[in-house]
């Protein structure tokens, strides 16, 4: 029985709704799987795959030294056991998780608004550019969105049917899964507390005791991860790459999520306009003064504003961390269009066409790999897969391979099918230690018994081979001065920004001694 004051509707049913659902799912699947294998696997994705190849115990121990919880990597581990380690297989977990989020959003909208608003939101979310972009990456961001949207639906169902025990249980389990996937799940807790307070204030639904008990259960289930969490918070490593927050970043954030593309081609006014429009839509939705309006508007604005405030102290503002919150944008727009259509149907239709056109533009940027998200230029320009394939055709037994940077070493290891254990050239930190001694990030994937692969000084490098491949993701002219005089370059394989140079070592032993060989990606297991 619905609590008074909230418009809860049953999930759309019937032949027409089934047909619309099918169309929306086809659009969503096509948008997410189209060209999904085109971008090259880059550092972050290679880290995910290579880590997930280890056992769950290994994943737990390794992520404890990193900056993220372990659940995504554990699920990816079993996913790849079932479907393989290929690019399509690895990325499909993110794509299907995002389609699952779409289905949950349809369910959520069907509970709180009209059928027309529900399907409008579904269509807009089906090809929301930021969702499509990160559904094509082997990272945890869309999985986080799936857990959090599922928890939100469970919460609304709990408020709708307080006597049903399965809903609070589902809420606890889904929120716990979200926390084990990414720490930004805490931002959704703020949204849910705000919504619960608003509904309780208006209707007195779900007692404070039951609510606190549910949240306490989440904390208890998360206690096993408390020691790594505390250690990571005290260390605060792995965030140094995030730039300080600026006002242009905040004001153009919605542009980044929807329009994307080369922001330098547009004036500041145009880039700020999407943010202004979503604020107008949110205001129109809140004007209705319904509790669910607070939920949908807060689902986007509370996380974004919270991260903005935190970033004034520690920079953490990054679009990919807020992919889960971006799912609320189509829901807010759909509700605003629904309200507008009641007075100005023609204007609402024009606005809908405009929003679809803007999203189509954003999708084109995603497929062209010009969306300006982190790693996009590398995924587009590196072409490391082609270089590694060419190297595989040219390599001979006994060759040595050296990769000049950890950033390229992990993707190279993913693509490497030669069976040769590559060496890794590293630079020294300001205090004189090798970067490879770090215990977090990609360095944590190199076990101590393989630290012999690291070197910094060519004079100490001992090679048994006559042929050495030097692999780099960016050509660095300064490296030419590093190579010893008896290294003579005889071949260059180049694709995009990646390059593999073959050197013959003059004066090396004439009998080729086989380089150390291991099964592909062995060092990360």
């Amino acid at each position: 029985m619905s609590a008074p004051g909230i418009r809860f509707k049953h999930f759309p049913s019937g032949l027409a709704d089934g047909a619309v659902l099918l169309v929306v799912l086809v659009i969503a699947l096509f948008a997410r799987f189209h060209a999904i294998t085109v971008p090259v696997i880059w550092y972050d994705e290679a880290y995910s795959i290579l880590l997930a190849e280890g056992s769950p115990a290994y994943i737990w121990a390794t992520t404890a030294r990193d900056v993220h919880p372990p659940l995504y990597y554990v699920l990816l581990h079993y996913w790849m056991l079932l479907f393989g380690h290929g690019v399509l297989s690895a990325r499909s977990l993110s794509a299907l998780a995002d389609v699952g989020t779409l289905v949950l959003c349809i369910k959520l909208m069907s509970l709180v608004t009209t059928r027309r608003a529900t399907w409008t939101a579904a269509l807009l979310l089906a090809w929301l550019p930021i969702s499509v972009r990160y559904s094509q990456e082997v990272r945890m961001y869309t999985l986080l969105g799936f857990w959090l949207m599922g928890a939100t639906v469970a919460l609304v169902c709990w408020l709708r049917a307080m006597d049903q025990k399965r809903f609070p249980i589902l809420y606890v389990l889904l929120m716990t899964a979200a926390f084990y996937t990414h720490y930004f799940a805490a931002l959704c807790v703020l949204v849910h507390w705000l919504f619960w307070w608003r509904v309780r204030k208006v209707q007195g639904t779900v007692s404070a005791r039951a609510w606190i008990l549910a949240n306490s259960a989440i904390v208890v289930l998360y206690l096993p991860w408390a020691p790594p969490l505390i250690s990571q918070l005290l260390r605060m490593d792995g965030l140094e790459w995030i730039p300080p927050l600026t006002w242009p970043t905040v004001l153009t954030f919605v542009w980044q999520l929807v329009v994307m593309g080369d922001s330098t081609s547009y004036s500041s006014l145009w880039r700020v306009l999407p943010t202004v429009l979503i604020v107008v839509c949110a205001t129109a939705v809140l004007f209705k003064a319904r509790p669910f309006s607070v939920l949908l508007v807060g689902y986007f604005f509370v996380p974004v504003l919270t991260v903005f405030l935190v970033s004034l102290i520690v920079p953490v503002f990054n679009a990919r961390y807020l992919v889960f919150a971006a799912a609320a944008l189509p829901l807010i727009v759909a509700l605003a269009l629904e309200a507008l259509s009641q007075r100005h149907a023609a204007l609402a239709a024009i606005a809908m066409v405009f929003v679809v056109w803007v999203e189509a533009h954003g999708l084109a940027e995603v497929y062209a790999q010009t969306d300006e998200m982190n790693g996009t230029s590398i995924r587009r320009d590196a072409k490391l897969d082609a270089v590694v394939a060419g190297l595989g055709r040219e390599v001979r037994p006994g060759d040595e391979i050296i990769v000049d940077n950890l950033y390229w070493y992990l993707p190279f290891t993913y693509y490497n099918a030669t069976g040769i254990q590559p060496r890794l050239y590293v630079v020294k930190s300001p205090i004189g230690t090798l970067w490879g001694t770090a215990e977090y990030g990609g360095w944590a994937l190199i076990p101590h018994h393989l630290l012999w692969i690291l070197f910094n000084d060519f004079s100490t490098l001992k090679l048994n081979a006559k042929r050495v491949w030097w692999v780099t993701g960016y050509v660095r002219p300064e490296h030419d001065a590093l190579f010893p005089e008896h290294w003579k370059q005889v071949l260059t394989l180049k694709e995009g920004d990646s390059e593999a140079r073959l050197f013959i070592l003059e004066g090396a032993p004439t009998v080729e001694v086989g380089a150390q060989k291991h099964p592909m990606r062995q060092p990360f297991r």
Side-chain angles (χ1 to χ4, degrees), residues 126-307:
W127 53 24
L128 180 66
I130 190 66
S131 294
V132 173
R133 167 63 177 82
Y134 282 100
S135 68
Q136 297 189 338
E137 188 160 303
V138 192
R139 297 297 285 166
M140 71 287 294
Y141 308 114
T142 60
L143 182 64
L144 173 67
F146 176 76
W147 298 134
L148 292 178
M149 188 55 67
T152 302
V153 172
L155 175 59
V156 173
C157 290
W158 183 12
L159 298 177
R160 180 188 180 210
M162 291 177 290
D163 58 327
Q164 297 291 323
K165 301 300 182 183
R166 67 180 184 273
F167 295 127
I169 293 174
L170 278 174
Y171 178 77
V172 168
L173 294 177
L174 289 167
M175 283 304 300
T176 302
F179 271 105
Y180 273 105
T181 300
H182 199 281
Y183 297 131
F184 271 37
L187 299 172
C188 198
V189 172
L190 300 178
V191 178
H192 292 167
W193 274 79
L194 176 63
F195 178 55
W196 169 79
W197 173 82
R198 173 62 176 156
V199 173
R200 179 168 171 76
K201 181 179 178 181
V202 174
Q203 304 165 5
T205 186
V206 178
S207 68
R209 179 179 179 275
W211 180 243
I212 293 175
L213 182 62
N215 283 269
S216 299
I218 297 171
V219 173
V220 170
L221 291 173
Y222 202 59
L223 285 178
W225 189 250
L229 170 61
I230 295 172
S231 175
Q232 291 175 11
L233 290 175
L234 292 176
R235 191 177 67 239
M236 288 301 290
D237 287 321
L239 297 175
E240 61 278 354
W241 61 272
I242 302 179
L245 185 65
T246 62
W247 277 109
T249 301
V250 176
L251 296 177
T252 62
F253 181 58
V254 179
W255 173 286
Q256 297 177 48
L257 303 178
V258 180
V259 185
M260 298 186 159
D262 183 9
S263 59
T264 60
S265 301
Y266 300 87
S267 67
S268 298
L269 179 61
W270 281 110
R271 287 183 283 121
V272 171
L273 183 59
T275 300
V276 173
L277 292 178
I278 198 62
V279 170
V280 171
C281 290
T283 302
V285 172
L286 289 175
F287 185 74
K288 295 293 184 179
R290 293 168 179 162
F292 75 82
S293 301
V294 173
L295 174 64
L296 298 182
V297 172
Y299 199 89
F300 176 74
F301 283 94
V302 170
V304 172
L305 293 177
T306 301
V307 174

Side-chain angles (χ1 to χ4, degrees), residues 385-430:
D385 55 339
V387 169
V388 177
L391 187 154
R393 292 188 292 269
E394 298 288 342
V395 73
R396 298 179 185 174
D399 285 2
E400 293 271 10
I401 299 173
I402 299 175
V403 183
D404 78 337
N405 190 287
L406 179 71
Y407 205 73
W408 308 109
Y409 187 83
L410 296 191
F412 179 89
T413 302
Y414 170 73
Y415 286 113
N416 181 24
T418 65
I420 299 174
Q421 170 62 64
R423 304 288 292 269
L424 174 59
Y425 176 76
V426 296
V427 297
K428 290 184 178 180
S429 70

Side-chain angles (χ1 to χ4, degrees), residues 317-338:
F317 197 97
N318 191 274
R320 65 188 187 188
Y321 294 158
L322 293 164
V323 169
F324 77 90
L329 289 175
L331 314 188
I332 296 170
V333 171
L335 289 174
L337 290 176
E338 175 74 3

Side-chain angles (χ1 to χ4, degrees), residues 391 394-403 420-425 455 458 461-471 483-484 486-493 499-506 508 512-513 515:
L391 187 154
E394 298 288 342
V395 73
R396 298 179 185 174
D399 285 2
E400 293 271 10
I401 299 173
I402 299 175
V403 183
I420 299 174
Q421 170 62 64
R423 304 288 292 269
L424 174 59
Y425 176 76
F455 77 98
F458 278 80
L461 180 62
K462 296 180 180 180
L463 299 172
N464 294 321
K466 290 181 60 178
R467 293 164 35 110
V468 177
W469 293 90
W470 180 272
V471 181
F483 302 132
H486 67 282
W487 285 35
K488 304 300 180 182
Q489 183 176 335
V490 297
L491 178 65
T492 299
L493 303 176
E499 184 178 271
R501 289 192 268 179
L502 175 62
F503 293 87
I504 299 295
L505 276 58
E506 294 183 346
E512 294 184 347
V513 179

Side-chain angles (χ1 to χ4, degrees), residues 2-204:
S2 300
I6 301 182
R7 295 173 58 202
F8 290 106
K9 296 182 179 295
H10 295 290
F11 191 89
S13 59
L15 184 60
D17 289 320
V20 176
L21 176 61
L22 179 61
V23 170
V24 168
L25 290 178
V26 168
I27 292 173
L29 288 168
F30 176 81
R32 283 151 184 79
F33 281 92
H34 175 66
I36 192 173
T37 62
V38 171
V40 69
I41 293 289
W42 71 300
Y43 175 85
D44 283 12
E45 294 183 288
Y47 176 88
S48 297
I49 296 171
L50 298 175
L51 174 60
E53 289 180 341
S55 67
Y58 170 78
I59 292 171
W60 181 283
T62 305
T63 51
R65 303 196 303 270
D66 194 47
V67 295
H68 292 302
L71 182 57
Y72 170 76
Y73 304 114
V74 173
L75 293 180
L76 182 61
H77 168 83
Y78 290 108
W79 184 267
M80 293 193 304
L81 285 180
L82 290 173
F83 302 108
H85 301 245
V87 177
L88 175 60
S89 300
R91 286 177 174 161
S92 63
L93 176 59
S94 297
L96 293 176
D98 201 50
V99 174
T101 300
L102 168 64
V103 174
L104 291 168
C105 284
I106 294 173
K107 175 64 175 178
L108 176 63
M109 290 293 283
S110 72
L111 291 170
V112 300
T113 189
T114 64
R115 291 172 61 193
R116 181 166 58 183
T118 296
W119 294 121
T120 299
L123 177 61
L124 296 180
L125 184 56
W127 53 24
L128 180 66
I130 190 66
S131 294
V132 173
R133 167 63 177 82
Y134 282 100
S135 68
Q136 297 189 338
E137 188 160 303
V138 192
R139 297 297 285 166
M140 71 287 294
Y141 308 114
T142 60
L143 182 64
L144 173 67
F146 176 76
W147 298 134
L148 292 178
M149 188 55 67
T152 302
V153 172
L155 175 59
V156 173
C157 290
W158 183 12
L159 298 177
R160 180 188 180 210
M162 291 177 290
D163 58 327
Q164 297 291 323
K165 301 300 182 183
R166 67 180 184 273
F167 295 127
I169 293 174
L170 278 174
Y171 178 77
V172 168
L173 294 177
L174 289 167
M175 283 304 300
T176 302
F179 271 105
Y180 273 105
T181 300
H182 199 281
Y183 297 131
F184 271 37
L187 299 172
C188 198
V189 172
L190 300 178
V191 178
H192 292 167
W193 274 79
L194 176 63
F195 178 55
W196 169 79
W197 173 82
R198 173 62 176 156
V199 173
R200 179 168 171 76
K201 181 179 178 181
V202 174
Q203 304 165 5

